[in-house]
Amino acid sequence: MESFSALMDGFATALTPINLMWSLVGVTLGTLIGILPGIGPALTIALLLPVTRTLDPTGAFIMFAGLYYGAMYGSSTTSILLNTPGESGSIITALEGNQMARRGRGAAALATAAIGSFVAGTVGTLLLSFLAPVFVKLAIMFGPAEYFALMVLAFATVSTLLGASMVRGITSLMIGLAFGLAGTDILTGQPRLVFGIPSMLRGIDTVVVAVGLFAVGEALYMASRRDLREAVILPIQGSLFMTREEWRRSWKPWLRGTLIGFPFGALPAGGTEIPTFLSYYVEKKLAKNPREFGQGAIEGVAGPEAANNAAVAGVLVPLLALGLPTSATAAILLAAFEQYNLQPGPQLFTASGSLVWGLIASLYIGNVMLLVLNLPLAGLWVRLLSIPQPLLYGGILVFSTLGVYSLSNSVFDLVLLFAVGVIGFLMRRYDFPVAPAIIGLILGPMAEAQFRRALTISQGDPSVFVTHPLSLALLVIALLVLLVPAVISLVRARNAAAPLA
Amino acid sequence: MNGSRSRSLAGLLIGLGLIAIAAVIAVDAMHMRVPPVHARVGPRVFPLLVSCGLALSGAAIAWQAWTRTFLVEAQDTDWGAVAIIAAGLVLQINLLKPLGFIPAAIILFMAVSFAFGSRRFLRDGVVAVVLASVTYLAFTRLLGLQLPPGVLKGLL
């Protein structure tokens, strides 16, 4: 019950006028960027970092978390009406949602997405409130060896589960790790990958890499594809009040989506994409009439939309309790914590309790705000979709260069941004997932620090990682994550070849 | 994915490029002068691990490209548009200090909107001027950030 009283204190923090304002700013901005294709929560938070440096951290994090939730609400609108997802967590929503809109049931699709997001967001936040303290108790048992093993597990899952193939995922991770190496080694002051350039001594800023990969890389890629330039916006048709039948078909997928989304967010499994795919698959299997899937089945919108919001709540559990980011946005949030010299993990709950619980409480409030913003006001937001692509990307690049330049008033950072942007373009073009690179960039230096700390404690004996039971268990799971998909595909290939032989 | 099952030159180049980067990281790590205290768990170990990882990934991709299993979606690429945006960025980097934020941002904006196929120069120009000026004023006056004023120094 201690977390209950802490949560009540959190509400006291979150309900102050200034924090309510930050929450409103966050959810509004989140809905906006969720709706706009080409700009997502990770990029937006990265661009806001230089601006929020002087803000009170509690207000800033309330805004960031509201933004993350809001992006999941907003992106469903784009999926449904434009058939291009606003964010990767809504790819699957486009399948059924756009079909519903084509058949004149767009309003019902928007409604089930918004209400499902609300149900999942609220249940997810509830689970977060009570699970985070449990994770904190677990985290206290962690030493450097266990933390290192946990990060290795996160590396293994994000690079296997995201993207078209494991090789591509691992490559992306390695690129991120390589970016993380550059700069002055903290423990010895040794310059690494500096090449005699003084500006490189402070390393490559997270914001530069995130903005380069997400904004510049994306703009170059979208410009290169003539076929992706024209999209048809469907009008909202039908009533926003769902019929009794639609409610009946929606409530179970909402709850199932929540139960699928939350644990996937909390596990180091790369955020919101996978649970939405899984939820869609489950709904299709359970449907009385699976034929309807692909032609506008409301379950296919309700389930995945609940799953992506629940996953966001899940992502916050390991982020706050362990300092372990499991999605690209969470990795940027971790960089935000670093900016304020805050260390997520057990210390955060004791030293900055009012920040953590104020943040969690604000999510309950933010969810209510988002339901209001996205349901009755859906018609207003839709107008954003009519912003012509040339102006949208022109604006994104102006803001991106502005954000990167204002990090430290350095033109060299803009040169780096350009270089990273070209890498981002190549990664998109050749189908490499971007999220593992972001996670590698942020977690890499931390993993190295824990690795060296563990070895210093053991006086250079590398067996610490396998003699500590918890660390061994985590490393074995990481190994299985890497090996099992490879074995499965090998067996499949054999079975497929067998009838021919 | 509709991959074409042919040897992918791009995949081969990516693989070799990654191996080259791995080599650069390894050479950089070997050139560090590491104090003996840090010999075992010093600043070299991690870069060498990353270098190995990159080299192996690069080798795997090169192998896939050679054995026709590096699948890439066939796509119609508008290289001209990519080049225009790249040129816009290079111009902005070089003009930011001498001309100032507002003109540099306008040039970048116009380049990007042109690359995305817009030929409505008047509309794009007006949006660019308004966007650049408003953000400049908001950032310097309201948020207290420094942006180069450039040629408009006396005016703003």
Side-chain angles (χ1 to χ4, degrees):
Chain A
M1 275 298 100
E2 53 185 312
S3 52
F4 184 74
S5 67
L7 185 61
M8 286 301 119
D9 291 342
F11 271 104
T13 310
L15 284 168
T16 56
I18 184 84
N19 286 336
L20 275 177
M21 186 204 74
W22 285 126
S23 182
L24 186 63
V25 170
V27 296
T28 311
L29 207 56
T31 307
L32 179 95
I33 56 119
I35 287 176
L36 292 177
I39 176 162
L43 173 64
T44 312
I45 295 172
L47 284 175
L48 285 172
L49 283 183
V51 186
T52 53
R53 209 177 286 162
T54 50
L55 277 181
D56 155 54
T58 309
F61 279 105
I62 285 177
M63 175 171 75
F64 291 156
L67 199 149
Y68 197 6
Y69 270 48
M72 292 300 133
Y73 274 81
S75 61
S76 59
T77 308
T78 317
S79 280
I80 292 166
L81 299 176
L82 203 68
N83 202 20
T84 27
E87 307 307 327
S88 54
S90 290
I91 293 170
I92 212 89
T93 309
L95 289 180
E96 301 302 321
N98 192 253
Q99 284 298 328
M100 283 181 73
R102 274 165 204 263
R103 277 151 221 261
R105 285 161 63 219
L110 288 174
T112 196
I115 301 170
S117 296
F118 174 74
V119 170
T122 306
V123 175
T125 309
L126 207 65
L127 290 170
L128 162 70
S129 314
F130 293 96
L131 272 178
V134 178
F135 266 64
V136 163
K137 290 210 177 77
L138 196 76
I140 294 170
M141 306 186 323
F142 275 37
E146 284 78 11
Y147 266 114
F148 176 71
L150 186 66
M151 288 166 183
V152 171
L153 174 60
F155 290 153
T157 48
V158 295
S159 46
T160 342
L161 294 176
L162 296 174
S165 75
M166 201 164 97
V167 173
R168 283 173 163 93
I170 292 176
T171 306
S172 169
L173 174 74
M174 290 297 161
I175 291 171
L177 289 174
F179 280 131
L181 290 175
T184 310
D185 174 46
I186 323 155
L187 292 175
T188 60
Q190 194 64 237
R192 293 198 299 203
L193 297 175
V194 166
F195 309 113
I197 304 165
S199 302
M200 284 292 291
L201 283 170
R202 50 194 165 83
I204 302 175
D205 199 284
T206 312
V207 175
V208 177
V209 179
V211 175
L213 292 181
F214 285 116
V216 182
E218 170 86 8
L220 288 170
Y221 180 68
M222 289 301 289
S224 80
R225 296 286 301 268
R226 278 191 206 91
D227 48 325
L228 297 181
R229 283 199 205 144
E230 289 309 317
V232 186
I233 309 166
L234 299 169
I236 305 179
Q237 288 175 330
S239 164
L240 275 169
F241 295 98
M242 295 194 295
T243 61
R244 183 182 285 270
E245 164 78 1
E246 282 160 348
W247 278 96
R248 194 184 56 72
R249 287 176 60 181
S250 290
W251 73 273
K252 279 189 205 155
W254 290 338
L255 294 181
R256 281 193 291 258
T258 307
L259 291 180
I260 293 169
F262 187 84
F264 263 90
L267 291 171
T272 53
E273 290 90 359
I274 296 153
T276 55
F277 285 111
L278 216 69
S279 162
Y280 183 80
Y281 181 76
V282 167
E283 293 312 328
K284 197 174 175 180
K285 280 275 162 196
L286 292 175
K288 284 200 195 95
N289 186 4
R291 289 243 179 96
E292 207 192 331
F293 273 74
Q295 314 194 5
I298 197 166
E299 292 89 346
V301 177
E305 275 306 309
N308 70 30
N309 266 69
V312 169
V315 162
L316 294 177
V317 176
L319 177 68
L320 294 173
L322 301 169
L324 187 78
T326 57
S327 74
T329 310
I332 303 295
L333 282 172
L334 190 59
F337 277 109
E338 285 180 340
Q339 176 176 293
Y340 290 108
N341 282 320
L342 294 167
Q343 177 63 53
Q347 306 92 314
L348 189 71
F349 279 75
T350 48
S352 321
S354 82
L355 187 155
V356 178
W357 289 105
L359 168 66
I360 294 175
S362 80
L363 294 173
Y364 290 95
I365 302 163
N367 257 311
V368 178
M369 292 182 182
L370 280 166
L371 190 63
V372 177
L373 275 180
N374 280 275
L375 214 45
L377 301 181
L380 283 177
W381 290 111
V382 169
R383 302 213 178 138
L384 280 176
L385 292 177
S386 53
I387 295 179
Q389 223 183 12
L391 301 184
L392 179 66
Y393 280 95
I396 291 175
L397 282 200
V398 167
F399 278 112
S400 299
T401 49
L402 169 68
V404 166
Y405 177 78
S406 53
L407 276 176
S408 48
N409 292 342
S410 142
V411 173
F412 183 73
D413 279 345
L414 289 178
V415 177
L416 279 179
L417 175 75
F418 180 62
V420 176
V422 172
I423 295 174
F425 165 68
L426 292 174
M427 287 175 73
R428 269 206 181 49
R429 183 172 162 82
Y430 296 106
D431 220 8
F432 289 82
V434 175
I438 299 285
I439 290 172
L441 166 77
I442 311 245
L443 269 189
M446 296 183 185
E448 183 185 11
Q450 301 288 9
F451 176 75
R452 284 160 73 174
R453 204 170 296 156
L455 283 177
T456 310
I457 295 170
S458 75
Q459 295 177 323
D461 176 11
S463 71
V464 274
F465 299 109
V466 289
T467 49
H468 289 202
L470 205 53
S471 154
L472 177 68
L474 290 166
L475 287 176
V476 169
I477 298 171
L479 199 65
L480 287 177
V481 168
L482 289 176
L483 291 181
V484 168
V487 171
I488 289 175
S489 69
L490 207 70
V491 170
R492 273 212 193 129
R494 277 250 170 99
N495 287 349
L500 294 173
Chain B
M1 203 197 312
N2 287 324
S4 53
R5 287 209 165 251
S6 59
R7 242 170 230 153
S8 159
L9 179 66
L12 214 55
L13 288 176
I14 292 172
L16 295 176
L18 289 167
I19 294 173
I21 297 170
V24 171
I25 296 174
V27 169
D28 182 79
M30 294 322 290
H31 275 85
M32 283 178 203
R33 274 159 298 165
V34 182
V37 205
H38 294 288
R40 290 197 80 158
V41 283
R44 255 183 204 169
V45 184
F46 223 68
L48 288 177
L49 284 175
V50 174
S51 169
C52 287
L54 265 180
L56 287 175
S57 317
I61 287 168
W63 171 253
Q64 287 186 343
W66 189 251
T67 56
R68 298 154 199 246
T69 47
F70 183 81
L71 300 182
V72 178
E73 208 177 336
Q75 37 191 266
D76 166 30
T77 308
D78 185 350
W79 288 109
V82 176
I84 292 166
I85 295 181
L89 285 165
V90 171
L91 272 177
Q92 200 236 14
I93 289 168
N94 288 296
L95 297 178
L96 184 65
K97 282 273 160 79
L99 285 190
F101 172 77
I102 295 178
I106 293 171
I107 292 170
L108 176 64
F109 188 97
M110 295 301 284
V112 175
S113 55
F114 184 84
F116 272 89
S118 169
R119 295 296 176 268
R120 296 172 64 179
F121 300 108
L122 185 65
R123 177 197 71 179
D124 298 352
V126 170
V127 173
V129 170
V130 172
L131 186 79
S133 316
V134 170
T135 41
Y136 179 84
L137 291 174
F139 270 68
T140 51
R141 299 284 157 82
L142 296 176
L143 296 165
L145 295 173
Q146 297 260 312
L147 290 173
V151 288
L152 298 170
K153 194 166 187 180
L155 286 166
L156 292 165

